[in-house]
Amino acid sequence: MHPASTARAVRIRRAESRDAAALAEFCARTFRETYDAHNSEEDMALHLHTHFSEALQRAEIADADAVMLVAEHEGALAGYAKVRRGAAPACVGGERPVEVQRFYVDRAWQGTGLAYRLMDAAHEWARALGADTLWLGVWERNPRAIAFYGKCGFMDVGAWTFTLGTDVQNDRLMVQKVGG
Ligand SMILES: CC(C)(COP(=O)(O)OP(=O)(O)OC[C@H]1O[C@@H](n2cnc3c(N)ncnc32)[C@H](O)[C@@H]1OP(=O)(O)O)[C@@H](O)C(=O)NCCC(=O)NCCS
């Protein structure tokens, strides 16, 4: 694990089109590392194939309703996050919800404080997208992420389902107000 002092030197910036290839590889790897133990290889392969191509990352980076953030250190990705404005489930509330659609910190950077800096940046960009409410879905079997979001001030307001490959899974929905 990297020391916290190094984590403070990690640069967080908005992704650009030229990041798409590296991002696609990083997204797929971190997704697999996070969920591999609890999912079949078939479901994992299907999800990776349908979600993390370079072309899809390029399109997501260009999405006018979204901001993709990357954290990088010495030219390598250390984490990424994506916020997107749009409709939200009723229990989220708020007039202008923005979702934290993705939030991943590489293993070597977990526990270093980088995740908090990335969440601060996500907040900042959510505000720039006009948000009054920030929300997310997190798998009920991901206790570390649930604990982290709780420490960031998110409150559990309900549940929805997420399909990984062919497997329908339960997510907790968590919400936080965005200050002016
Ligand atoms: C979720 C994530 C962003 C959190 O960042 P982090 O740097 O690991 O955050 P922390 O180290 O502060 O960990 C959060 C808390 O969970 C605790 N924790 C660690 N492992 C845990 C576990 N197995 N069960 C419950 N809590 C756990 C930590 O101890 C910490 O609490 P503490 O500060 O009171 O000790 C990061 O772990 C990550 O990217 N994980 C993989 C991707 C992922 O799950 N993304 C979320 C998708 S919704």
Side-chain angles (χ1 to χ4, degrees):
M1 189 173 97
H2 295 284
S5 55
T6 313
R8 285 194 286 275
V10 172
R11 180 174 176 230
I12 297 174
R13 62 172 174 84
R14 192 169 185 173
E16 298 168 24
S17 185
R18 67 180 163 90
D19 297 309
L23 201 49
E25 188 277 331
F26 186 83
C27 292
R29 179 170 63 75
T30 52
F31 191 90
R32 183 183 277 285
E33 285 175 1
T34 304
Y35 303 113
D36 223 12
H38 299 287
N39 290 280
S40 75
E41 179 51 34
E42 292 74 24
D43 283 332
M44 181 58 68
L46 180 59
H47 188 90
L48 298 185
H49 179 69
T50 51
H51 285 73
F52 298 126
S53 70
E54 181 179 341
L56 262 177
Q57 294 317 303
R58 190 168 292 114
E60 290 192 42
I61 290 167
D63 182 351
D65 287 316
V67 173
M68 186 82 83
L69 294 169
V70 290
E72 64 182 355
H73 184 254
E74 295 178 348
L77 288 175
Y80 80 105
K82 182 185 171 197
V83 289
R84 188 173 198 283
R85 69 181 154 213
C91 62
V92 166
E95 289 176 10
R96 298 178 308 280
V98 166
E99 178 184 6
V100 182
Q101 271 190 339
R102 313 246 200 83
F103 197 92
Y104 287 78
V105 169
D106 204 0
R107 277 211 177 130
W109 296 97
Q110 290 173 13
T112 65
L114 176 61
Y116 293 95
R117 290 189 51 218
L118 192 57
M119 184 56 80
D120 285 348
H123 255 274
E124 233 171 76
W125 280 102
R127 209 175 291 125
L129 287 170
D132 65 352
T133 304
L134 197 57
W135 68 281
L136 56 86
V138 52
W139 193 22
E140 63 180 359
R141 293 175 67 182
N142 189 348
R144 183 167 189 148
I146 291 171
F148 169 75
Y149 295 136
K151 288 198 299 178
C152 289
F154 284 87
M155 307 285 287
D156 188 315
V157 294
W160 74 351
T161 57
F162 173 87
T163 304
L164 198 161
T166 58
D167 187 33
V168 180
Q169 306 182 343
N170 296 317
D171 273 11
R172 299 311 307 169
L173 289 176
M174 302 183 79
V175 171
Q176 181 176 135
K177 288 285 159 217
V178 175

